[in-house]
Amino acid sequence: EDHRSTFCHPDDEDWELHGDKEMCRCGHKKKLHASGASGAAAVPYPTYWSQASSSCLPGAVSEGDGSDAAEFSERPEMGEDMLKRLQSLVTDTYSDVTTRDRQRHSGSWMVPKDFTLVQAWRNENSKLWRKYCVKKAELQQEVKTADAKRFEVYDDVLTTKVWSAYGDQLDTSINEWYLWHGTSSSAAHNICMSDFKMRLAGSATGTLYGRGSYFAESITKADEYSKEEDGLYTVLLCRVLGGRVKYTADRNPDPDALTRECTQGESDCILGDRIKISGTYREFIVFDTENVYPEYIVKYKRGELFKSKSHP
């Protein structure tokens, strides 16, 4: 909000072009500021959304007069069938590889033997969904006119492959993925209500690839950043628009250069490949809230800790 009140953007009445027609005054690309100002009825919503509030978390709200254009922000709790599906995703994206980040955040290199899902909610937020859909439509339009190299497809993302087996098809042509994001319970609820806060990005995970929001295809990697509250840990399962991917397998990447590549250059996200470098994990970093939709809050228990083969 501070940013939007300080700088002009494409959807403002007093918008003026300054220099490069694709840049706004703040120095970011215009497409980083797609407007989400139109009404709730402007985009279609997933058919499996309930848009009901009877089983929502405390704090869920519905806005408007009940018409088709009324905004809504609800988090219905998931039933047994969805919990089984999410548990399968957790199990299928598990790895016993440990990293310095686990030692840094938990004080130990030890890895949980498994993760047991306890509870989950789906985030049904009309404003955040609409903003995501606007960005997705922009990328779909761009890919029609862009050369293949500019939209190199990464269709081997584990979370997406596993989840798509259930029938939920994402747009691979623009690198749309499902990815995990480790966080705290309170932060997860805040994100689902009001979106990621990019000004705080990197504060919990580090800034190896720049001050963006970090996502993982492995539940074990996301768990490294999860916070324990009342014996449970929390991750978000998010839809992510990778768009034009900046791939890097550098052992010591330049975070400032990578950030500029996404905020001022042609790329939409960073794919940091630590599997290639050290046999650990890949991380996906985005710098724009419109590229992410936090769809599920997942709470789980860690299994017994053990010393895996990757322990230094």
Side-chain angles (χ1 to χ4, degrees):
E1 290 302 325
D2 290 341
H3 175 88
R4 292 200 61 89
S5 64
T6 302
F7 297 101
C8 288
H9 297 89
D11 55 327
D12 294 338
E13 291 182 0
D14 59 345
W15 165 253
E16 299 175 8
L17 295 177
H18 291 262
D20 186 342
K21 66 180 182 180
E22 294 302 319
M23 304 293 287
C24 73
R25 288 182 185 175
C26 63
H28 290 98
K29 294 177 291 185
K30 285 200 298 181
K31 68 178 184 176
L32 289 185
H33 305 294
S35 173
S38 54
V43 297
Y45 297 92
T47 57
Y48 53 83
W49 280 19
S50 65
Q51 299 186 30
S53 58
S54 58
S55 59
C56 291
L57 285 172
V61 297
S62 294
E63 305 172 15
D65 57 5
S67 66
D68 290 340
E71 301 287 1
F72 57 88
S73 179
E74 304 172 350
R75 274 153 297 285
E77 187 171 352
M78 296 295 93
E80 183 177 353
D81 288 345
M82 180 55 73
L83 291 180
K84 288 181 179 179
R85 180 176 172 182
L86 286 165
Q87 179 65 64
S88 294
L89 182 64
V90 166
T91 301
D92 290 345
T93 61
Y94 171 84
S95 169
D96 65 3
V97 173
T98 191
T99 76
R100 292 181 185 276
D101 284 334
R102 181 169 294 280
Q103 193 280 331
R104 184 182 301 118
H105 289 281
S106 68
S108 172
W109 294 88
M110 304 283 274
V111 181
K113 286 187 175 181
D114 53 29
F115 302 105
T116 302
L117 193 144
V118 175
Q119 210 168 7
W121 298 265
R122 183 167 54 237
N123 181 37
E124 301 181 5
N125 186 310
S126 59
K127 290 183 178 179
L128 300 190
W129 177 256
R130 184 169 66 256
K131 187 167 64 171
Y132 179 84
C133 287
V134 169
K135 177 68 173 183
K136 181 176 178 178
E138 289 179 352
L139 289 173
Q140 289 172 325
Q141 184 61 36
E142 289 176 23
V143 77
K144 294 178 181 178
T145 58
D147 59 75
K149 186 176 181 180
R150 292 177 66 194
F151 269 91
E152 183 175 353
V153 173
Y154 291 83
D155 57 4
D156 61 342
V157 178
L158 182 58
T159 26
T160 305
K161 290 174 65 177
V162 173
W163 198 253
S164 295
Y166 289 96
D168 288 354
Q169 298 302 314
L170 303 181
D171 191 342
T172 58
S173 71
I174 57 171
N175 289 311
E176 185 179 19
W177 308 306
Y178 268 110
L179 294 169
W180 298 112
H181 177 79
T183 186
S184 66
S185 177
S186 57
H189 296 165
N190 289 336
I191 288 169
C192 288
M193 282 288 289
S194 55
D195 218 342
F196 284 85
K197 304 299 183 185
M198 289 301 172
R199 70 179 183 275
L200 302 177
S203 58
T205 59
T207 56
L208 180 65
Y209 298 107
R211 295 188 68 85
S213 289
Y214 285 61
F215 300 87
E217 60 190 326
S218 170
I219 184 64
T220 314
K221 181 60 181 174
D223 173 70
E224 293 180 349
Y225 309 124
S226 181
K227 304 292 194 304
E228 187 271 334
E229 294 180 38
D230 299 324
L232 299 179
Y233 294 83
T234 304
V235 291
L236 289 169
L237 180 61
C238 303
R239 292 179 183 240
V240 177
L241 296 169
R244 298 180 182 87
V245 178
K246 173 64 176 178
Y247 173 88
T248 177
D250 293 345
R251 185 170 294 278
N252 298 299
D254 183 338
D256 292 333
L258 291 173
T259 299
R260 289 193 299 272
E261 176 70 26
C262 287
T263 59
Q264 301 176 29
E266 290 191 346
S267 299
D268 296 295
C269 82
I270 305 298
L271 198 171
D273 192 347
R274 308 303 283 186
I275 295 178
K276 184 174 182 179
I277 301 170
S278 54
T280 56
Y281 299 99
R282 296 191 299 184
E283 292 193 86
F284 305 76
I285 304 90
V286 301
F287 299 84
D288 178 23
T289 60
E290 293 160 1
N291 285 62
V292 185
Y293 183 79
E295 192 164 8
Y296 293 94
I297 299 173
V298 176
K299 290 194 174 187
Y300 62 94
K301 292 181 179 179
R302 285 178 176 174
E304 180 184 356
L305 298 178
F306 78 108
K307 184 177 181 180
S308 72
K309 294 179 180 179
S310 61
H311 193 293

